[in-house]
Coordinates of all heavy atoms in Angstrom, one line a residue:
E1 N -10.6 5.4 13.8 CA -11.2 5.3 12.5 C -10.1 5.6 11.4 O -9.5 6.7 11.5 CB -12.4 6.2 12.3 CG -13.0 6.1 10.9 CD -14.3 6.9 10.8 OE1 -15.2 6.7 11.7 OE2 -14.3 7.8 10.0
V2 N -9.8 4.7 10.5 CA -8.7 4.9 9.6 C -9.2 5.8 8.4 O -8.5 6.7 8.0 CB -8.3 3.5 9.0 CG1 -7.3 3.7 7.8 CG2 -7.6 2.7 10.1
V3 N -10.4 5.5 7.9 CA -10.9 6.3 6.8 C -11.8 7.4 7.3 O -12.7 7.1 8.0 CB -11.6 5.4 5.8 CG1 -12.1 6.2 4.6 CG2 -10.7 4.3 5.3
D4 N -11.5 8.6 6.8 CA -12.3 9.7 7.2 C -12.7 10.6 6.0 O -12.4 10.2 4.9 CB -11.7 10.6 8.3 CG -10.3 11.1 7.9 OD1 -9.9 11.0 6.7 OD2 -9.6 11.6 8.7
E5 N -13.3 11.7 6.2 CA -13.6 12.6 5.1 C -12.4 13.0 4.3 O -11.3 13.1 4.8 CB -14.3 13.8 5.6 CG -15.7 13.6 6.1 CD -16.5 14.8 6.5 OE1 -16.2 15.9 5.9 OE2 -17.2 14.7 7.5
G6 N -12.6 13.2 3.0 CA -11.5 13.6 2.1 C -10.7 12.4 1.5 O -9.8 12.6 0.8
C7 N -11.1 11.2 1.9 CA -10.4 10.1 1.3 C -11.0 9.7 -0.1 O -12.2 9.9 -0.3 CB -10.6 8.9 2.2 SG -9.6 9.0 3.7
N8 N -10.1 9.2 -0.9 CA -10.5 8.9 -2.3 C -10.9 7.4 -2.3 O -10.1 6.5 -2.1 CB -9.3 9.1 -3.2 CG -9.7 8.8 -4.7 OD1 -10.7 8.2 -4.9 ND2 -8.9 9.3 -5.6
S9 N -12.2 7.1 -2.6 CA -12.6 5.7 -2.6 C -12.5 5.1 -4.0 O -12.8 3.9 -4.2 CB -14.1 5.7 -2.2 OG -14.9 6.4 -3.1
D10 N -11.9 5.8 -5.0 CA -11.8 5.2 -6.3 C -10.4 4.5 -6.5 O -10.2 4.0 -7.6 CB -11.9 6.3 -7.4 CG -13.3 6.9 -7.5 OD1 -14.2 6.2 -7.1 OD2 -13.4 8.1 -7.8
L11 N -9.6 4.5 -5.5 CA -8.3 3.9 -5.7 C -8.5 2.4 -5.7 O -9.2 1.8 -4.8 CB -7.4 4.2 -4.5 CG -5.9 4.1 -4.6 CD1 -5.4 4.9 -5.7 CD2 -5.2 4.4 -3.3
P12 N -7.9 1.7 -6.7 CA -8.1 0.2 -6.8 C -7.4 -0.5 -5.7 O -6.4 -0.1 -5.2 CB -7.6 -0.1 -8.2 CG -6.6 1.0 -8.5 CD -7.1 2.2 -7.8
V13 N -8.0 -1.7 -5.4 CA -7.3 -2.6 -4.4 C -6.7 -3.7 -5.2 O -7.4 -4.4 -6.0 CB -8.4 -3.2 -3.4 CG1 -7.7 -4.2 -2.5 CG2 -9.0 -2.0 -2.6
W14 N -5.4 -3.9 -5.0 CA -4.7 -5.0 -5.7 C -4.6 -6.2 -4.8 O -4.4 -6.0 -3.6 CB -3.3 -4.5 -6.1 CG -3.3 -3.4 -7.0 CD1 -3.6 -2.1 -6.8 CD2 -3.0 -3.4 -8.4 NE1 -3.5 -1.3 -7.9 CE2 -3.1 -2.1 -8.9 CE3 -2.6 -4.4 -9.3 CZ2 -2.9 -1.8 -10.3 CZ3 -2.4 -4.1 -10.6 CH2 -2.5 -2.8 -11.1
I15 N -4.7 -7.4 -5.3 CA -4.5 -8.6 -4.5 C -3.0 -9.0 -4.6 O -2.5 -9.3 -5.6 CB -5.4 -9.7 -5.0 CG1 -6.9 -9.3 -5.1 CG2 -5.2 -11.0 -4.2 CD1 -7.4 -8.8 -3.7
G16 N -2.4 -9.0 -3.4 CA -1.0 -9.3 -3.4 C -0.7 -10.7 -3.3 O 0.4 -11.2 -3.5
G17 N -1.7 -11.5 -2.9 CA -1.5 -13.0 -2.9 C -2.5 -13.6 -1.9 O -3.3 -12.9 -1.3
P18 N -2.5 -14.9 -1.8 CA -3.5 -15.6 -1.1 C -3.3 -15.7 0.5 O -4.2 -16.1 1.2 CB -3.5 -17.0 -1.7 CG -2.1 -17.2 -2.0 CD -1.6 -15.8 -2.5
V19 N -2.2 -15.2 0.9 CA -1.8 -15.3 2.4 C -2.3 -14.0 3.1 O -2.0 -12.9 2.7 CB -0.3 -15.5 2.6 CG1 0.0 -15.7 4.0 CG2 0.1 -16.8 1.8
D20 N -2.9 -14.2 4.2 CA -3.3 -13.1 5.1 C -4.0 -11.9 4.4 O -3.5 -10.8 4.4 CB -2.1 -12.6 5.9 CG -2.4 -11.9 7.2 OD1 -3.6 -11.8 7.5 OD2 -1.5 -11.4 7.8
T21 N -5.0 -12.2 3.7 CA -5.7 -11.2 2.8 C -6.4 -10.1 3.6 O -6.9 -9.1 3.1 CB -6.7 -11.8 1.9 OG1 -7.6 -12.6 2.7 CG2 -6.0 -12.7 0.9
S22 N -6.4 -10.2 5.0 CA -6.9 -9.1 5.8 C -5.8 -8.1 6.1 O -6.1 -7.0 6.7 CB -7.5 -9.6 7.1 OG -6.5 -10.3 7.9
R23 N -4.6 -8.4 5.7 CA -3.4 -7.5 5.9 C -3.3 -6.6 4.7 O -3.2 -7.0 3.6 CB -2.2 -8.3 6.2 CG -1.0 -7.4 6.4 CD -0.2 -7.9 7.6 NE 1.1 -7.2 7.7 CZ 1.3 -6.3 8.6 NH1 0.4 -6.0 9.5 NH2 2.5 -5.7 8.7
A24 N -3.2 -5.3 5.0 CA -3.0 -4.3 3.9 C -1.6 -3.8 3.8 O -0.9 -3.6 4.9 CB -4.0 -3.1 4.1
W25 N -1.2 -3.5 2.6 CA 0.2 -3.0 2.3 C 0.0 -1.8 1.4 O -0.8 -1.8 0.5 CB 1.0 -4.0 1.6 CG 1.1 -5.3 2.3 CD1 0.2 -6.4 2.2 CD2 2.1 -5.7 3.3 NE1 0.6 -7.4 3.0 CE2 1.7 -7.1 3.7 CE3 3.2 -5.1 3.9 CZ2 2.5 -7.8 4.6 CZ3 3.9 -5.9 4.8 CH2 3.6 -7.2 5.2
I26 N 0.9 -0.8 1.6 CA 0.9 0.3 0.7 C 2.3 0.3 0.0 O 3.3 0.4 0.7 CB 0.8 1.7 1.4 CG1 -0.5 1.7 2.3 CG2 0.8 2.8 0.4 CD1 -1.8 1.5 1.5
L27 N 2.3 0.2 -1.3 CA 3.5 0.2 -2.1 C 3.5 1.6 -2.7 O 2.5 2.0 -3.4 CB 3.6 -0.9 -3.2 CG 4.8 -1.1 -3.9 CD1 6.0 -1.4 -3.0 CD2 4.6 -2.2 -5.0
S28 N 4.6 2.4 -2.5 CA 4.5 3.8 -2.9 C 5.8 4.3 -3.6 O 6.9 3.9 -3.2 CB 4.3 4.7 -1.6 OG 4.4 6.0 -1.9
A29 N 5.6 5.0 -4.7 CA 6.7 5.6 -5.4 C 7.1 7.0 -4.8 O 7.9 7.7 -5.3 CB 6.4 5.8 -6.9
A30 N 6.5 7.3 -3.7 CA 6.8 8.6 -2.9 C 7.0 8.2 -1.5 O 6.2 7.3 -1.0 CB 5.7 9.6 -3.1
D31 N 7.9 8.8 -0.8 CA 8.1 8.5 0.6 C 6.9 8.9 1.4 O 6.5 10.1 1.4 CB 9.3 9.3 1.1 CG 9.7 9.0 2.5 OD1 8.9 8.3 3.2 OD2 10.8 9.3 2.9
P32 N 6.2 8.0 2.0 CA 5.0 8.4 2.8 C 5.3 9.1 4.1 O 4.4 9.7 4.7 CB 4.3 7.0 3.1 CG 5.4 6.0 3.1 CD 6.4 6.6 2.1
G33 N 6.5 9.1 4.5 CA 6.9 9.9 5.7 C 6.5 9.3 7.0 O 6.6 9.9 8.0
T34 N 6.0 8.1 7.0 CA 5.6 7.4 8.2 C 6.8 6.7 8.8 O 7.7 6.2 8.1 CB 4.5 6.4 8.0 OG1 4.9 5.4 7.1 CG2 3.2 7.1 7.5
S35 N 6.8 6.5 10.1 CA 8.0 5.9 10.8 C 8.1 4.4 10.4 O 9.2 3.9 10.5 CB 7.9 6.1 12.3 OG 6.8 5.5 12.8
E36 N 7.0 3.8 10.1 CA 7.1 2.3 9.8 C 7.4 2.0 8.4 O 7.5 0.8 8.1 CB 5.7 1.7 10.1 CG 5.2 1.9 11.5 CD 4.4 3.2 11.6 OE1 4.0 3.8 10.6 OE2 4.2 3.7 12.8
R37 N 7.7 2.9 7.5 CA 7.9 2.6 6.1 C 9.3 1.9 6.0 O 10.2 2.1 6.8 CB 7.9 3.9 5.3 CG 9.2 4.8 5.6 CD 9.0 6.1 5.0 NE 10.2 7.0 5.1 CZ 10.6 7.5 6.2 NH1 9.9 7.3 7.4 NH2 11.6 8.3 6.2
I38 N 9.4 1.1 4.9 CA 10.6 0.5 4.6 C 11.0 1.0 3.2 O 10.2 0.9 2.2 CB 10.4 -1.1 4.5 CG1 10.1 -1.6 5.9 CG2 11.7 -1.7 4.0 CD1 9.6 -3.0 5.9
R39 N 12.2 1.5 3.1 CA 12.7 1.9 1.8 C 13.2 0.7 1.0 O 14.2 0.0 1.4 CB 13.9 3.0 1.9 CG 14.4 3.5 0.6 CD 15.7 4.4 0.8 NE 15.3 5.6 1.5 CZ 15.0 6.7 0.9 NH1 15.1 6.8 -0.4 NH2 14.7 7.8 1.6
L40 N 12.6 0.4 -0.1 CA 13.0 -0.7 -1.0 C 14.2 -0.4 -1.9 O 15.0 -1.2 -2.2 CB 11.8 -1.3 -1.7 CG 10.7 -1.7 -0.8 CD1 9.5 -2.1 -1.7 CD2 11.1 -2.8 0.1
N41 N 14.1 0.9 -2.4 CA 15.2 1.5 -3.2 C 15.0 3.0 -3.2 O 14.1 3.5 -2.4 CB 15.3 0.9 -4.6 CG 14.1 1.2 -5.5 OD1 13.4 2.2 -5.3 ND2 13.7 0.3 -6.4
D42 N 15.7 3.7 -4.0 CA 15.6 5.2 -3.9 C 14.2 5.7 -4.2 O 13.8 6.8 -3.6 CB 16.5 5.8 -5.0 CG 18.0 5.7 -4.6 OD1 18.2 5.4 -3.4 OD2 18.8 5.9 -5.4
D43 N 13.4 5.0 -5.0 CA 12.1 5.5 -5.4 C 10.9 4.6 -5.0 O 9.8 4.8 -5.6 CB 12.0 5.8 -6.9 CG 13.1 6.8 -7.3 OD1 13.2 7.9 -6.6 OD2 13.8 6.6 -8.3
L44 N 11.1 3.7 -4.1 CA 10.0 2.7 -3.8 C 10.0 2.4 -2.3 O 11.0 2.1 -1.7 CB 10.2 1.5 -4.6 CG 9.1 0.5 -4.7 CD1 7.9 1.1 -5.3 CD2 9.5 -0.8 -5.4
F45 N 8.8 2.5 -1.7 CA 8.6 2.4 -0.3 C 7.5 1.4 0.0 O 6.6 1.3 -0.8 CB 8.3 3.7 0.4 CG 9.4 4.7 0.3 CD1 9.5 5.5 -0.9 CD2 10.3 4.9 1.3 CE1 10.5 6.4 -1.0 CE2 11.3 5.8 1.2 CZ 11.4 6.6 0.0
L46 N 7.6 0.7 1.1 CA 6.5 -0.2 1.5 C 6.1 0.2 3.0 O 7.0 0.4 3.8 CB 7.0 -1.7 1.5 CG 6.0 -2.7 1.9 CD1 4.9 -2.8 0.8 CD2 6.7 -4.1 2.1
A47 N 4.8 0.3 3.2 CA 4.3 0.6 4.5 C 3.0 -0.1 4.8 O 2.4 -0.6 3.8 CB 4.0 2.1 4.6
A48 N 2.7 -0.3 6.0 CA 1.5 -1.0 6.4 C 0.7 -0.3 7.5 O -0.2 -0.9 8.1 CB 1.8 -2.4 6.8
S49 N 1.0 1.0 7.8 CA 0.4 1.7 8.9 C -0.9 2.4 8.4 O -1.1 2.6 7.3 CB 1.3 2.7 9.4 OG 1.5 3.8 8.5
A50 N -1.8 2.7 9.4 CA -3.0 3.5 9.1 C -2.7 4.8 8.5 O -3.4 5.3 7.7 CB -3.8 3.6 10.4
D51 N -1.6 5.5 9.0 CA -1.2 6.8 8.5 C -0.8 6.7 7.0 O -1.2 7.6 6.2 CB 0.0 7.3 9.2 CG -0.4 7.8 10.6 OD1 -1.6 8.1 10.9 OD2 0.5 7.9 11.5
A52 N -0.1 5.6 6.6 CA 0.2 5.5 5.2 C -1.0 5.2 4.3 O -1.1 5.7 3.2 CB 1.2 4.3 5.0
L53 N -2.0 4.5 4.9 CA -3.2 4.2 4.2 C -4.0 5.5 4.0 O -4.5 5.8 2.9 CB -4.1 3.2 5.0 CG -5.4 2.9 4.4 CD1 -5.3 2.4 3.0 CD2 -6.2 1.9 5.3
K54 N -4.0 6.4 5.0 CA -4.7 7.7 4.9 C -4.1 8.5 3.8 O -4.7 9.1 3.0 CB -4.7 8.4 6.2 CG -5.6 7.9 7.2 CD -5.5 8.8 8.5 CE -6.4 8.2 9.6 NZ -6.3 9.0 10.8
L55 N -2.7 8.5 3.8 CA -2.0 9.3 2.7 C -2.4 8.8 1.3 O -2.6 9.6 0.4 CB -0.5 9.2 3.0 CG 0.4 9.9 2.0 CD1 0.2 11.4 2.2 CD2 1.8 9.5 2.2
C56 N -2.4 7.5 1.2 CA -2.7 6.9 -0.1 C -4.2 7.2 -0.5 O -4.4 7.6 -1.7 CB -2.6 5.3 0.1 SG -3.0 4.4 -1.4
L57 N -5.1 7.1 0.4 CA -6.5 7.3 0.1 C -6.8 8.8 -0.2 O -7.8 9.1 -0.9 CB -7.4 6.8 1.2 CG -7.4 5.3 1.3 CD1 -8.2 4.9 2.5 CD2 -7.9 4.6 0.1
K58 N -6.0 9.7 0.4 CA -6.3 11.1 0.3 C -5.5 11.7 -0.9 O -5.6 12.9 -1.2 CB -5.9 11.9 1.6 CG -6.9 11.6 2.7 CD -6.6 12.4 3.9 CE -7.6 12.2 5.0 NZ -7.3 13.1 6.1
A59 N -4.7 10.9 -1.6 CA -3.9 11.5 -2.7 C -4.8 12.0 -3.8 O -5.8 11.4 -4.1 CB -3.0 10.4 -3.3
P60 N -4.4 13.2 -4.3 CA -5.2 13.7 -5.4 C -5.1 12.8 -6.6 O -4.1 12.0 -6.8 CB -4.5 15.1 -5.7 CG -3.2 15.1 -5.1 CD -3.3 14.0 -4.0
P61 N -6.1 12.9 -7.5 CA -6.1 12.0 -8.7 C -4.8 12.0 -9.5 O -4.4 11.0 -10.0 CB -7.3 12.5 -9.5 CG -8.2 13.1 -8.5 CD -7.3 13.7 -7.5
S62 N -4.2 13.1 -9.5 CA -2.9 13.2 -10.3 C -1.8 12.5 -9.7 O -0.8 12.2 -10.4 CB -2.5 14.7 -10.5 OG -2.3 15.3 -9.2
E63 N -1.9 12.1 -8.5 CA -0.8 11.3 -7.8 C -1.2 9.9 -7.5 O -0.4 9.1 -6.9 CB -0.4 12.0 -6.5 CG 0.2 13.4 -6.7 CD 0.6 14.1 -5.4 OE1 0.8 13.4 -4.4 OE2 0.8 15.3 -5.4
Q64 N -2.4 9.4 -7.8 CA -2.8 8.1 -7.5 C -2.0 7.0 -8.1 O -1.8 5.9 -7.5 CB -4.3 7.9 -7.9 CG -5.2 8.7 -7.0 CD -6.6 8.5 -7.4 OE1 -6.9 7.7 -8.4 NE2 -7.6 9.1 -6.7
S65 N -1.4 7.3 -9.2 CA -0.6 6.2 -9.9 C 0.7 5.9 -9.1 O 1.4 5.0 -9.4 CB -0.3 6.6 -11.3 OG 0.5 7.8 -11.3
R66 N 1.0 6.8 -8.1 CA 2.2 6.6 -7.3 C 2.0 5.6 -6.2 O 3.0 5.2 -5.5 CB 2.7 7.9 -6.8 CG 3.1 8.9 -7.9 CD 3.5 10.2 -7.3 NE 4.6 10.2 -6.5 CZ 5.9 10.4 -6.8 NH1 6.1 10.6 -8.1 NH2 6.9 10.3 -6.0
F67 N 0.8 5.1 -6.0 CA 0.5 4.2 -4.9 C -0.2 3.0 -5.3 O -0.9 3.0 -6.3 CB -0.5 4.9 -3.9 CG 0.0 6.2 -3.2 CD1 -0.3 7.4 -3.8 CD2 0.8 6.1 -2.1 CE1 0.2 8.6 -3.2 CE2 1.3 7.2 -1.5 CZ 1.0 8.5 -2.0
R68 N 0.1 1.9 -4.6 CA -0.7 0.6 -4.8 C -1.1 0.2 -3.4 O -0.3 0.0 -2.5 CB 0.2 -0.5 -5.5 CG 0.6 -0.2 -6.9 CD -0.6 -0.3 -7.8 NE -0.2 -0.2 -9.2 CZ -0.2 1.0 -9.9 NH1 -0.6 2.1 -9.3 NH2 0.1 1.0 -11.1
F69 N -2.4 -0.1 -3.3 CA -3.0 -0.6 -2.1 C -3.2 -2.1 -2.3 O -4.0 -2.5 -3.2 CB -4.4 0.1 -1.9 CG -5.1 -0.3 -0.6 CD1 -4.5 -0.3 0.6 CD2 -6.4 -0.8 -0.7 CE1 -5.2 -0.8 1.7 CE2 -7.1 -1.2 0.4 CZ -6.5 -1.2 1.6
L70 N -2.5 -2.9 -1.5 CA -2.5 -4.3 -1.7 C -3.0 -5.0 -0.5 O -2.8 -4.6 0.6 CB -1.0 -4.8 -1.9 CG -0.2 -4.1 -3.0 CD1 1.2 -4.0 -2.6 CD2 -0.4 -4.9 -4.3
L71 N -3.8 -6.1 -0.7 CA -4.2 -7.0 0.3 C -3.6 -8.3 0.2 O -3.6 -8.9 -0.9 CB -5.8 -7.1 0.3 CG -6.6 -5.9 0.6 CD1 -8.0 -6.2 0.5 CD2 -6.2 -5.4 2.0
G72 N -3.0 -8.9 1.3 CA -2.4 -10.2 1.2 C -1.0 -10.2 0.6 O -0.5 -9.1 0.2
Y73 N -0.4 -11.3 0.6 CA 0.9 -11.5 0.0 C 1.1 -13.0 -0.5 O 0.3 -13.8 -0.1 CB 2.0 -11.1 0.9 CG 2.1 -11.9 2.2 CD1 3.0 -13.0 2.2 CD2 1.4 -11.6 3.3 CE1 3.0 -13.8 3.4 CE2 1.5 -12.4 4.5 CZ 2.3 -13.5 4.5 OH 2.4 -14.2 5.6
A74 N 2.1 -13.2 -1.2 CA 2.4 -14.6 -1.7 C 3.7 -15.0 -1.0 O 4.6 -14.2 -0.9 CB 2.6 -14.7 -3.2
G75 N 3.7 -16.2 -0.5 CA 4.9 -16.8 0.2 C 5.5 -17.9 -0.7 O 5.2 -17.9 -1.9
W76 N 6.2 -18.7 -0.1 CA 6.9 -19.8 -0.8 C 6.2 -21.1 -0.7 O 6.7 -22.1 -1.1 CB 8.4 -19.9 -0.5 CG 9.1 -18.7 -0.9 CD1 9.5 -17.6 -0.1 CD2 9.5 -18.3 -2.2 NE1 10.1 -16.7 -0.8 CE2 10.1 -17.0 -2.1 CE3 9.3 -18.9 -3.4 CZ2 10.6 -16.4 -3.2 CZ3 9.8 -18.2 -4.6 CH2 10.4 -17.0 -4.5
A77 N 5.1 -21.2 0.0 CA 4.4 -22.5 0.2 C 3.8 -23.0 -1.1 O 3.4 -22.1 -1.9 CB 3.4 -22.3 1.3
P78 N 3.6 -24.2 -1.2 CA 2.9 -24.8 -2.4 C 1.6 -24.1 -2.7 O 0.8 -23.9 -1.8 CB 2.7 -26.3 -2.1 CG 3.8 -26.6 -1.1 CD 3.9 -25.3 -0.3
G79 N 1.3 -23.7 -4.0 CA 0.1 -23.2 -4.4 C 0.0 -21.7 -4.3 O -1.0 -21.1 -4.7
Q80 N 0.9 -21.0 -3.6 CA 0.8 -19.6 -3.4 C 1.4 -18.7 -4.6 O 1.0 -17.6 -4.8 CB 1.6 -19.2 -2.2 CG 1.0 -19.7 -0.9 CD 1.7 -19.3 0.3 OE1 2.6 -18.5 0.3 NE2 1.3 -19.8 1.4
L81 N 2.2 -19.3 -5.4 CA 2.8 -18.5 -6.6 C 2.2 -19.0 -7.9 O 2.7 -18.6 -8.9 CB 4.3 -18.6 -6.5 CG 5.0 -18.1 -5.3 CD1 6.5 -18.3 -5.4 CD2 4.7 -16.6 -5.2
E82 N 1.2 -19.8 -7.9 CA 0.7 -20.4 -9.1 C -0.4 -19.5 -9.7 O -1.0 -18.8 -9.1 CB 0.2 -21.8 -8.9 CG 1.3 -22.7 -8.5 CD 0.8 -24.1 -8.0 OE1 -0.4 -24.3 -7.9 OE2 1.7 -24.9 -7.8

């Protein structure tokens, strides 16, 4: 079970694009500390693991702005970036 007690259900879900909308991504301004994370630059990380999702959902309200919970992505195929 990914979501358990103590998770914040008020975190908005952002739509990353029309492709694979069942896939979740966590964009974070804080290092989530999970092994699957990708460092995009000094202050930005991308993760897709259940552990990163738990961290995002359990963040206190004062830290929620550091995370974006995204579903799907946009690729380069026609109609995906319009």
Side-chain angles (χ1 to χ4, degrees):
E1 182 175 301
V2 173
V3 179
D4 57 10
E5 289 185 32
C7 290
N8 181 348
S9 62
D10 293 334
L11 199 62
V13 175
W14 297 74
I15 304 303
V19 180
D20 201 3
T21 56
S22 64
R23 178 133 171 109
W25 307 88
I26 307 298
L27 190 60
S28 173
D31 186 346
T34 61
S35 61
E36 303 87 15
R37 74 193 182 286
I38 298 170
R39 179 186 296 265
L40 302 175
N41 65 32
D42 289 342
D43 299 316
L44 194 60
F45 298 83
L46 183 66
S49 70
D51 289 337
L53 177 57
K54 284 182 187 179
L55 179 69
C56 179
L57 293 174
K58 289 184 176 183
S62 62
E63 294 182 21
Q64 288 179 2
S65 65
R66 299 175 61 94
F67 298 96
R68 292 290 184 266
F69 178 56
L70 306 147
L71 292 178
Y73 65 91
W76 293 105
Q80 293 181 7
L81 297 175
E82 296 171 353

